[in-house]
Amino acid sequence: QVQLVESGGGLVQAGGSLRLSCAASGRAFSSYTMGWFRQAPGKEREFVAAFSWYGGSTYYADSVKGRFTISRDNARSTVYLQMNSLKPEDTAVYYCAAERYGSGRGLYNYWGQGTQVTVSS
C-alpha cells in the first residue's frame, strides 16, 4: 500500500507557474507508475501526466504538452508536476495517483486528497 499527499497548489495569474509535489509513503516507490489527474468544477476527472515506473517514460495530455513537466525523485519518494504558462482552464483540483507496475494511462488504485490550483485571468 502507498499513501499520497499532494502540496503546492494555490492561486496564480495566467501565464504564471506552479510546482506540485506528491510525497508517497510506503515501500517500493520506484515500482509505482505515478500520475497526475485533475478535476474542474462540473467536469469529469481527466488525465494530465504520468511517469512510468520502468524506463522513465512520460505521458501527457495534449492540453498540457509543452507546458507541464512531470518528474520523480525515487530517493525522496516524490513526484512533481511543474506547470508553466498556466491558463484559466487549468483551474482544477489536482490529484496524485499511483499504480504498482502501472502502464501510465491505465487504472490507478491509490489516490491523494487533491490540491487546488486556481488560475486567474
Side-chain angles (χ1 to χ4, degrees):
Q1 284 227 348
V2 62
Q3 293 182 325
L4 307 172
V5 178
E6 302 99 332
S7 60
L11 173 65
V12 64
Q13 288 188 332
S17 299
L18 280 176
R19 189 176 82 153
L20 305 183
S21 299
C22 172
S25 62
R27 300 167 65 181
F29 176 78
S30 61
S31 68
Y32 285 83
T33 287
M34 301 300 297
W36 286 98
F37 291 75
R38 67 187 181 186
Q39 187 167 20
K43 295 188 177 182
E44 292 187 354
R45 187 169 58 194
E46 64 174 358
F47 170 82
V48 174
F51 199 121
S52 176
W53 71 278
Y54 181 78
S57 298
T58 56
Y59 309 90
Y60 295 94
D62 288 343
S63 59
V64 307
K65 275 182 185 175
R67 300 188 298 122
F68 291 11
T69 302
I70 188 171
S71 61
R72 65 189 293 164
D73 184 339
N74 286 342
R76 297 179 183 270
S77 297
T78 301
V79 64
Y80 305 96
L81 185 68
Q82 177 67 44
M83 305 185 294
N84 298 329
S85 302
L86 283 161
K87 305 175 181 179
E89 50 264 44
D90 295 318
T91 295
V93 177
Y94 283 70
Y95 296 91
C96 176
E99 180 65 15
R100 197 164 193 193
Y101 307 127
S103 63
R105 291 182 179 267
L107 295 176
Y108 286 80
N109 278 318
Y110 303 100
W111 294 85
Q113 82 289 351
T115 186
Q116 176 70 46
V117 171
T118 303
V119 184
S120 63
S121 57

